[in-house]
Amino acid sequence: MLLSAPGAVAREPVEKAPVAGAAAAPAAAPTAALTEVTDFGSNPSNLQMYLYVPDSVTANPAVVVAVHYCTGSGPAMYSGTEYASLADTYGFIVVYPSVTRASKCFDVSSPQALTRGGGSDPVGIKSMVDWVTRTYSADTGRIFATGISSGAMMTNVLLGDYPDVFAAGAAFSGVPFGCFATTDGSEWNSACSGGTVLHTPQEWGDLVRNAYPGYTGPRPRMQVWHGTEDDVLRYPNFGEEIKQWTNVLGVSQTPAATDSPQSGWTRTRYGATGDQAPVEAISLQGIGHNLYAWGMAARVLTFFGLDSSGPGPQPQPGACKVTATTSAWNTGLTGSVTITNTGTSRIEGWRLGFTLPSGQTITNGWGAAYAPASGVVTATNASYNGTIAANASVSVGYQANHTGNSSAPAAFTLNGTACSGS
């Protein structure tokens, strides 16, 4: 059995240059056109790389890797989703990997695919990201993956194999990392597709952690979507994904927030209540496997933090307070940051977002992992300070170089929620 192309995406295509005219791009690609890039690096499974760079591409752009479904292709993903048109609005770059094997399915089953640097499709996709990073000086702290069906399964795999590369993912009708594993060379795992592969959260989390043994850095956030009537990748996989990623991210399996952003949808958020919670899950009542529809990509961008506004709940000022000071000398400084939870429930797992003043570059830090070192920075909690009780505080800090401006950042967000200053 193969996963079918989602019928819901067959709506009005984005008006872009025709795919038939896609040209090889040994250096920077043409803008506002889908372009095939060749010789992009290590590519053990002979994937094709398609790229969309908007006219409005920003300096140090974010990158979204959009991964197609079985029987699909990079060009089909380009014309059947809104990521290219959204890139025109927000200035990020979109990479569309394309399978050349007969099934047109991504390898999410082999031991090679489920190991960092092990080979197969994940290595080729990582090479695509590296090519874009080199060519466009992309922001390595804003690399994201999203996919549909087989692409959703690959999104889970990419985040497991390369937690140091991807900041977040969004998976539409997928399965957990490792669920599709086989040892006989088969691409299909009927037990997983049928929803009968069940594990404890710890067991699911260990599968992810074993893909990159010894890694102790920050883990990417995850958004998962699933229809209750999915007859290709059964609905229990949705709950197993939630178990896996809440465990990986070290947050409670009890939702921090539950709402219905659209009729028939149930959205749960784990570890935080804002638009960029560690884990977000959207269940679509009565919907089958082909759930992706126009408008959903905008919600993905809100979760990724790539839009300036979005259809989700707006930040609630007052839920957090941040005090930041610096102590400077001629070319360096230390920054001290205190985060206070002014809400009524505890925070389990936090990511503090801020923009460093121009000319500042973080050289080391304590109490959190900081990435990237300059520009728009995300500080992710350490293993020992991820929980902040109501009315409690956590203090972290960093050392940085500067070229004259030694001031502290002016604004902060905590898990996507704007914080007040003091």
Side-chain angles (χ1 to χ4, degrees):
M1 182 187 294
L2 299 178
L3 310 193
S4 60
V9 302
R11 303 192 179 191
E12 292 184 14
V14 181
E15 293 183 4
K16 305 291 177 190
V19 170
T31 58
L34 186 66
T35 305
E36 183 176 3
V37 176
T38 58
D39 300 322
F40 51 82
S42 178
N43 185 23
S45 55
N46 196 33
L47 297 178
Q48 290 176 286
M49 174 183 175
Y50 292 91
L51 188 72
Y52 183 80
V53 181
D55 285 330
S56 58
V57 64
T58 61
N60 308 119
V63 179
V64 173
V65 179
V67 194
H68 68 74
Y69 39 86
C70 278
T71 75
S73 67
M77 194 71 173
Y78 162 81
S79 62
T81 61
E82 312 101 297
Y83 294 106
S85 61
L86 290 166
D88 289 335
T89 300
Y90 298 110
F92 58 86
I93 291 173
V94 191
V95 177
Y96 300 95
S98 198
V99 169
T100 58
R101 65 176 61 89
S103 67
K104 303 298 183 184
C105 296
F106 285 92
D107 175 13
V108 295
S109 306
S110 73
Q112 292 79 16
L114 298 174
T115 304
R116 175 188 175 83
S120 196
D121 297 344
V123 167
I125 295 173
K126 168 65 160 51
S127 295
M128 298 178 195
V129 171
D130 290 343
W131 186 95
V132 173
T133 300
R134 291 193 305 269
T135 305
Y136 294 93
S137 298
D139 184 346
T140 56
R142 295 191 299 151
I143 309 293
F144 304 92
T146 184
I148 300 169
S149 192
S150 178
M153 293 192 275
M154 178 53 70
T155 297
N156 277 267
V157 169
L158 290 172
L159 268 60
D161 284 355
Y162 296 104
D164 54 334
V165 173
F166 294 95
F172 291 84
S173 304
V175 303
F177 178 100
C179 184
F180 241 60
T182 59
T183 56
D184 60 0
S186 172
E187 294 181 35
W188 192 260
N189 184 319
S190 296
C192 178
S193 65
T196 63
V197 176
L198 308 176
H199 289 299
T200 66
Q202 183 68 34
E203 289 168 343
W204 280 125
D206 286 345
L207 288 175
V208 170
R209 287 181 284 270
N210 290 340
Y212 187 5
Y215 177 74
T216 58
R219 294 282 178 172
R221 297 178 297 112
M222 177 58 98
Q223 180 188 66
V224 293
W225 302 67
H226 222 103
T228 61
E229 300 303 312
D230 193 325
D231 60 353
V232 178
L233 298 174
R234 297 283 182 177
Y235 187 67
N237 284 299
F238 178 65
E240 299 303 293
E241 283 181 294
I242 294 170
K243 286 159 63 174
Q244 182 171 69
W245 291 104
T246 51
N247 180 266
V248 168
L249 286 155
V251 300
S252 172
Q253 290 181 69
T254 301
T258 303
D259 65 359
S260 182
Q262 190 166 309
S263 177
W265 294 15
T266 301
R267 177 172 60 188
T268 47
R269 287 169 166 166
Y270 302 83
T273 60
D275 288 341
Q276 294 163 42
V279 178
E280 180 173 273
I282 302 97
S283 172
L284 281 67
Q285 182 64 38
I287 302 299
H289 186 62
N290 299 336
L291 67 80
Y292 181 86
W294 230 244
M296 291 179 177
R299 295 182 181 273
V300 170
L301 289 199
T302 298
F303 180 73
F304 288 171
L306 292 183
D307 63 345
S308 57
S309 62
Q314 295 303 301
Q316 311 254 331
C320 51
K321 181 178 72 173
V322 174
T323 302
T325 59
T326 58
S327 177
W329 56 96
N330 51 356
T331 61
L333 61 86
T334 57
S336 299
V337 180
T338 299
I339 308 162
T340 302
N341 176 10
T342 57
T344 57
S345 59
R346 69 179 181 179
I347 296 168
E348 294 190 31
W350 53 263
R351 294 165 67 93
L352 185 71
F354 57 91
T355 300
L356 278 178
S358 179
Q360 292 187 17
T361 303
I362 294 175
T363 56
N364 61 74
W366 49 93
Y370 298 83
S374 61
V376 180
V377 178
T378 299
T380 304
N381 66 270
S383 59
Y384 57 83
N385 64 2
T387 298
I388 311 177
N391 299 313
S393 299
V394 166
S395 293
V396 300
Y398 57 89
Q399 186 170 323
N401 296 327
H402 70 83
T403 58
N405 183 350
S406 60
S407 60
F412 295 85
T413 62
L414 188 67
N415 293 344
T417 296
C419 297
S420 61
S422 62

